[in-house]
Structures are given as structure tokens and as C-alpha cells.
Amino acid sequence: MGEGTSDYTKNMVDLRRHMWMAGVEVELRRLIWQIATVGKYISAKIHESNRKLAGFQNVYGEEQLDLDRISDEILKSQLQFSGFVREYASEELEDIVKIGSGKEKYIVTADPLDGSSLVDTNLAIGTIIGIHKESVLDTGRNTMVAALYITYGPLITMVYSAGNGAHEFVLNREGEYLLSQEKIKLKEKGSIFSPGGLRRDWTPAHLKFVEQLEKDGYKLRYSGGFVPDINQVLIKGGGLFTYPALRKSPQGKLRLLFELQPMAFIMEQAGGRATNGKEDILALKVESVNQRSPVYIGSTKEVRMAAQFLSQ
Ligand code: AFP
């Protein structure tokens, strides 16, 4: 924290003040703030929700909840009038949509409510956001300038990075996001792992890798929600989340643009790594909004170990 901030004021650093002190440029500060504010509206909808299926399916053929569609509409309309966003891509939409005049600075990608199938069980779910300056498709390199995710659990927390480290905020009763952890750092080696997919569908190499983690005493932590499962690795300071290539789905389940790249951006800012088992997630070319990828994300030792097993 900046020089001269007392213990009291240090704990009173809210999101806007933090971004200003971290030198985040003004339009990006305002955009991140507006998106974080949407988290409050989405949370209110979760509390009001009837948790009923909307009777629609998304582009992946997955049942959409009212909540999925409502969260997407809330986010899109907030961004539409922000003055900072020219295009919006969402897991709930068929393709990228123009929402500004075309002169705005940013393109936003969103998984508005990831893990929504868990909402009836009262498990934590989340919102995942990527903020890009240039096109998100076919660039062959990552164009993200910031990423954030919001976790709707016992507390509402928000983790963001604008290339200045990864920082966590807690939403208080007054509706302010107050800094709780700054410049979060992952240890080189963790002690938990979060293995997605069914064991019977894993490839032999991935199975051998997981068996080694079990032999090495890693504790299994898996809720079925990407956001809380990733958040656990970050906040516990290390470990590994993986949703691997499966026998019948060599690209795994998770979406490269909407889920993996924003989380890879944040994890790398915390000193971690994210690969598809071989190449960095942020180096992968996004050729379509629906593209999926296997993922190994978290502490560098475990990500490196996965690559060793997968190359055998
Ligand atoms: P839903 O959004 O359909 O609940 O899926 C959640 C998710 O995309 C991601 O959040 C989890 O990591 C992953 O699916 C869990 O998949 P499995 O149910 O196959 O474990």
C-alpha cells in the first residue's frame, strides 16, 4: 500500500482508490468499477431467483436458467451505456455483438454466471470477465488488458488484475468493495488439487498425473464451480485446477475465451501458470468464441509436472 496510509485507512481502501493508486488508466478504472457494480445486481437476482430453467439452451446445448439470461442482459445493458465498450461477447450469446458506436476503447468477454447449475444447491457460483483493447479472435496473441471474477458465496468477493498484480476485495454491507488482499502470490508448490471430468474419461497420461498428486498427499477440493474452485487455489496460495482433455472430448469442457483466458491472466499475475498441458493458455489463438481447451492452472510446479506426464 502507498506510504503514509494508516492501518485504519489501509483497511478502508475501496476498489476505485486501489485502481487509482495502482495507476490504472481512468477509462479502464471506470469500466472495472461498472462491471464490479453489476455483481451487486446479479447477486440480488440470485437471491430473488426462482432457480427455474429458462426453457432455452445456449450455443453449447446446455439448459439456460432464467438467471443465466438475466445476468447476461444486466451485464450487456450496463456495458452498452458505459461509453467504454464497443463489442461484447458472452457465453450466453451466439456471437460477438457490437454495443457501442465502434469508437469505444474496449471489448468485453463474459461468462455472466458460471456454475449456474449449482445455484439450486446453494454452492458458490461466479462471473468471469475479460477486458481487451483489440479483437479477441484470430489475433494469435492475447489482447487482454485486465480480467476480473466475482464469487457469489457466503461473501461476495471480487478479484481483479489490470496487469498490476492480482487483488481481492470483499463487498461490505454498504455496497463497497474493500481491499482484503493485495498482490496475491501463489507458492511454487501447493497442497490442493481440483480435478474436473470423470476418472473413467481421463486419458492414461492424465490419470497417472492425478495418481501422482494423490501419492504426494494433495487434498482433493472440487465443487463443480470453476470460479470458486479456481478462487480456492488462488486464495489458499497454491495448488492446481485442471479440466483435462477427455477420451471423447479432446478439447475438454471449459471455454478458452470466456473462462480460461481471464483466469490465466489473473493466475499469471499471481505468479502462477496456465497451460493446455503443453502451451500457455494466453498464447493460444482463439479462432471461435465457442472454442474449448484442456486446462492446467495454478502453481508452477504442478503445471510443469502435468506437462511432464502428458509428454510421456
Ligand atoms: P455450468 O455452468 O453448466 O454449471 O458448468 C460449470 C462448468 O462450466 C464450470 O464452472 C465447472 O468447472 C465445470 O463446468 C464442471 O464440470 P463437471 O460438472 O463436468 O465437473
Side-chain angles (χ1 to χ4, degrees):
M1 194 50 56
E3 289 308 312
T5 41
S6 71
D7 279 354
Y8 178 74
T9 51
K10 182 168 71 171
N11 294 336
M12 291 297 284
V13 175
D14 73 1
L15 175 59
R16 278 182 288 195
R17 183 172 161 192
H18 186 270
M19 291 192 287
W20 176 76
M21 290 164 66
V24 179
E25 67 100 7
V26 59
E27 287 182 296
L28 185 54
R29 293 205 301 263
R30 289 183 184 157
L31 176 55
I32 290 172
W33 166 254
Q34 289 190 12
I35 294 171
T37 302
V38 169
K40 302 185 211 173
Y41 306 146
I42 292 176
S43 166
K45 289 298 175 191
I46 293 169
H47 287 262
E48 294 160 19
S49 83
N50 58 16
R51 298 185 286 184
K52 293 270 180 295
L53 289 173
F56 298 93
Q57 291 187 341
N58 62 17
V59 290
Y60 308 95
E62 294 158 340
E63 289 292 345
Q64 281 184 314
L65 291 176
D66 278 333
L67 265 178
D68 287 317
R69 296 170 75 83
I70 291 168
S71 304
D72 184 55
E73 281 159 24
I74 292 173
L75 187 56
K76 184 163 162 275
S77 62
Q78 178 83 356
L79 295 176
Q80 194 140 16
F81 304 106
S82 68
F84 307 123
V85 182
R86 61 180 185 273
E87 292 179 355
Y88 173 68
S90 157
E91 202 176 278
E92 303 308 329
L93 299 177
E94 302 261 329
D95 210 337
I96 301 173
V97 290
K98 290 193 184 327
I99 59 171
S101 68
K103 296 189 181 62
E104 294 80 2
K105 222 172 196 180
Y106 299 108
I107 297 170
V108 171
T109 67
D111 183 352
L113 201 60
D114 182 83
S116 53
S117 66
L118 300 171
V119 74
D120 56 347
T121 65
N122 197 28
L123 280 172
I125 55 182
T127 295
I128 309 171
I129 299 287
I131 301 176
H132 299 247
K133 264 197 164 167
E134 298 151 38
S135 167
V136 297
L137 291 182
D138 301 329
T139 60
R141 59 182 174 75
N142 169 47
T143 65
M144 217 178 304
V145 293
L148 68 93
Y149 67 86
I150 299 167
T151 308
Y152 308 100
L155 295 173
I156 294 177
T157 57
M158 194 274 294
V159 171
Y160 95 94
S161 177
N164 55 0
H167 319 285
E168 184 201 45
F169 296 76
V170 178
L171 188 67
N172 71 6
R173 288 180 191 285
E174 290 69 41
E176 299 159 314
Y177 281 102
L178 294 187
L179 181 66
S180 45
Q181 295 196 55
E182 188 179 37
K183 296 191 173 68
I184 301 170
K185 281 298 170 209
L186 290 180
K187 295 185 289 285
E188 192 185 349
K189 177 189 179 303
S191 57
I192 59 175
F193 75 114
S194 200
L198 292 177
R199 209 175 188 94
R200 69 178 185 211
D201 296 338
W202 291 346
T203 62
H206 180 78
L207 178 58
K208 282 198 182 74
F209 167 59
V210 170
E211 286 170 344
Q212 186 60 55
L213 292 177
E214 290 167 336
K215 269 186 217 131
D216 293 350
Y218 283 75
K219 289 181 186 161
L220 190 154
R221 294 285 185 272
Y222 191 78
S223 77
F226 182 50
V227 170
D229 287 343
I230 281 277
N231 186 58
Q232 180 166 203
V233 170
L234 183 72
I235 301 304
K236 289 297 183 189
L240 179 90
F241 174 94
T242 173
Y243 207 106
L246 303 175
R247 291 172 189 275
K248 295 188 189 110
S249 322
Q251 293 311 313
K253 173 177 184 181
L254 300 182
R255 290 80 174 185
L256 179 58
L257 183 63
F258 299 117
E259 294 164 317
L260 302 184
Q261 288 202 329
M263 291 304 196
F265 185 92
I266 290 170
M267 277 295 186
E268 288 194 359
Q269 286 290 318
R273 271 200 79 196
T275 72
N276 62 0
K278 202 162 59 173
E279 301 156 281
D280 284 353
I281 289 292
L282 290 178
L284 297 177
K285 189 171 182 179
V286 181
E287 290 164 350
S288 101
V289 290
N290 310 334
Q291 191 172 333
R292 300 171 193 257
S293 169
V295 64
Y296 295 82
I297 180 170
S299 293
T300 50
K301 180 187 183 301
E302 288 87 331
V303 173
R304 190 170 47 244
M305 192 174 142
Q308 287 158 356
F309 275 83
L310 294 173
S311 64
Q312 283 165 7

